[in-house]
Amino acid sequence: MENFFFKKRLLLICVLLFFLLSIIILTAYQYHVATSHFDEMIKSRRETVSYLAASLIGERFNVLKELLTSYGLSRDLRSQVIQNNWDEAINIAREILKVHPDVERVSIFDPKGTFMAGFPVAAELTGQNFAYRDWYKEVIKTDNTYLSDIVKRKVKPTYNVINLSTPIKDFNNNLIGILTLQVRLSQITKWAKDFEFGNGFVYFVDRKGQVSGDPKYSELDETIPNFSNVPVVKKVLQGKQGVEVQGNQLVAYSPVKGYGWGVVTQESLTKAFKMRAEYIQITILFGFILMVSNAILVWLLLRKI
């Protein structure tokens, strides 16, 4: 009889061990599946955010480019520039500020890059030459509309700005001036906020790796922050797209096609993977409860034998 009860207890213990092992294997499998699924989902979403943000800023640059180009081709504006009526020409161009509220100011320069007129009026710029600016060099080089890198504007307060410039031609296709519009960096920062997500943020970089949209910096900072040595910034400025873990941050990046700029999203790993961590905790807790319940059930059965 004792042999019979011994065998029965042994069988129950084997059943317990079998179920415990099954629960451990199932929990481990669920952990692996959940980790892989959430990793892929979270990284995919971050990459999508960076891609959409890059597409958005590209479209907004396109709108500004088309607007400026259309005014540069305006027959009335060109006629005034031909006659050196710079004030009349800027009165026509100033309508850009009404059409597009993000534009801070418009200016007209002669073919050598000398400031001739602007709105809002900035008398201190009269006669200053801007041929050293990248927008002037590129317009002369490409004979086309060009988006500048981030610069400090000359007019006080010295905000960080971008300039979009287009050639003005006479009716024989000779260069007679350059029309520019200016957008404050704070406006681009507002564009970035359209894509804020969770506890992360989005920032833009120009061709030099100079930053717009990072909340740690202000458009009135003495120097423009430069992230050109950051690995993901190097990659995005090479036209690459992807998602990477950098230190304790999850970073996604996408290029702004046609302009040489890039978009980077950044979020701490803890916050980015918070949902995954919570799901895994629930899975482990559920497995632990099953194991304890199974052990208690077997213990109660053993007591009755």
Side-chain angles (χ1 to χ4, degrees):
M1 182 65 71
E2 288 184 9
N3 190 41
F4 171 76
F5 285 121
F6 173 77
K7 290 181 179 179
K8 205 169 183 179
R9 287 191 183 96
L10 183 61
L11 178 61
L12 284 172
I13 292 172
C14 288
V15 170
L16 170 63
L17 293 175
F18 172 78
F19 278 108
L20 288 178
L21 183 61
S22 299
I23 292 168
I24 291 171
I25 293 173
L26 181 61
T27 303
Y29 175 74
Q30 282 293 102
Y31 175 88
H32 173 73
V33 170
T35 301
S36 300
H37 171 73
F38 277 102
D39 281 1
E40 184 177 345
M41 180 185 71
I42 291 167
K43 289 181 179 180
S44 176
R45 286 182 177 179
R46 296 300 177 266
E47 188 170 13
T48 299
V49 169
S50 69
Y51 174 79
L52 290 175
S55 299
L56 170 72
I57 191 175
E59 284 303 313
R60 292 189 174 177
F61 284 160
N62 287 340
V63 169
L64 289 170
K65 181 178 179 180
E66 290 172 8
L67 177 63
L68 183 69
T69 302
S70 67
Y71 271 84
L73 295 172
S74 163
R75 188 176 186 87
D76 291 341
L77 186 143
R78 293 159 73 190
S79 296
Q80 297 299 331
V81 174
I82 289 171
Q83 300 173 53
N84 293 323
N85 294 332
W86 304 103
D87 291 337
E88 291 300 322
I90 204 65
N91 280 335
I92 296 171
R94 66 187 286 186
E95 293 297 316
I96 292 176
L97 277 70
K98 297 179 182 178
V99 176
H100 202 300
D102 288 346
V103 178
E104 178 78 4
R105 64 181 295 108
V106 290
S107 304
I108 298 179
F109 301 80
D110 71 10
K112 293 184 178 180
T114 301
F115 177 86
M116 304 306 294
F119 186 84
V121 176
E124 65 269 35
L125 294 180
T126 302
Q128 288 195 38
N129 188 273
F130 289 80
Y132 63 94
R133 293 289 203 193
D134 68 319
W135 56 260
Y136 173 82
K137 294 176 181 178
E138 290 299 323
V139 167
I140 295 299
K141 178 181 176 181
T142 65
D143 195 30
N144 207 342
T145 305
Y146 178 77
L147 173 72
S148 77
D149 294 320
I150 300 168
V151 295
K152 286 249 175 231
R153 73 176 188 178
K154 286 279 190 177
V155 179
K156 292 184 179 180
T158 54
Y159 298 121
N160 296 336
V161 298
I162 57 169
N163 294 293
L164 201 64
S165 308
T166 194
I168 305 172
K169 303 287 191 69
D170 65 16
F171 302 112
N172 293 315
N173 206 38
N174 297 309
L175 182 67
I176 55 174
I178 297 173
L179 175 65
T180 74
L181 62 78
Q182 193 172 88
V183 179
R184 281 173 55 179
L185 219 56
S186 59
Q187 288 301 128
I188 302 179
T189 301
K190 288 179 182 178
W191 299 351
K193 288 182 178 179
D194 290 343
F195 281 88
E196 285 186 343
F197 57 96
N199 295 287
F201 63 92
V202 177
Y203 65 85
F204 304 113
V205 290
D206 66 13
R207 302 172 191 84
K208 295 179 180 178
Q210 297 177 126
V211 177
S212 168
D214 190 315
K216 296 191 296 293
Y217 302 99
S218 164
E219 64 175 348
L220 285 171
D221 288 344
E222 187 174 337
T223 59
I224 304 170
N226 191 302
F227 286 8
S228 59
N229 289 325
V230 176
V232 294
V233 172
K234 289 181 179 179
K235 291 178 181 178
V236 77
L237 294 181
Q238 293 170 2
K240 297 178 181 178
Q241 179 178 333
V243 184
E244 295 182 14
V245 174
Q246 295 285 323
N248 65 344
Q249 301 288 315
L250 181 65
V251 181
Y253 49 94
S254 293
V256 180
K257 295 180 181 178
Y259 292 97
W261 284 48
V263 169
V264 180
T265 71
Q266 186 170 313
E267 186 176 15
S268 73
L269 289 175
T270 302
K271 293 173 181 176
F273 291 100
K274 182 179 178 182
M275 185 186 300
R276 185 191 73 172
E278 290 174 349
Y279 182 85
I280 289 173
Q281 286 174 1
I282 292 171
T283 300
I284 293 173
L285 178 61
F286 183 69
F288 177 75
I289 292 172
L290 283 178
M291 287 190 291
V292 172
S293 300
N294 189 60
I296 292 173
L297 178 61
V298 172
W299 177 72
L300 291 173
L301 290 173
L302 286 172
R303 286 189 64 187
K304 293 182 178 181
I305 298 174

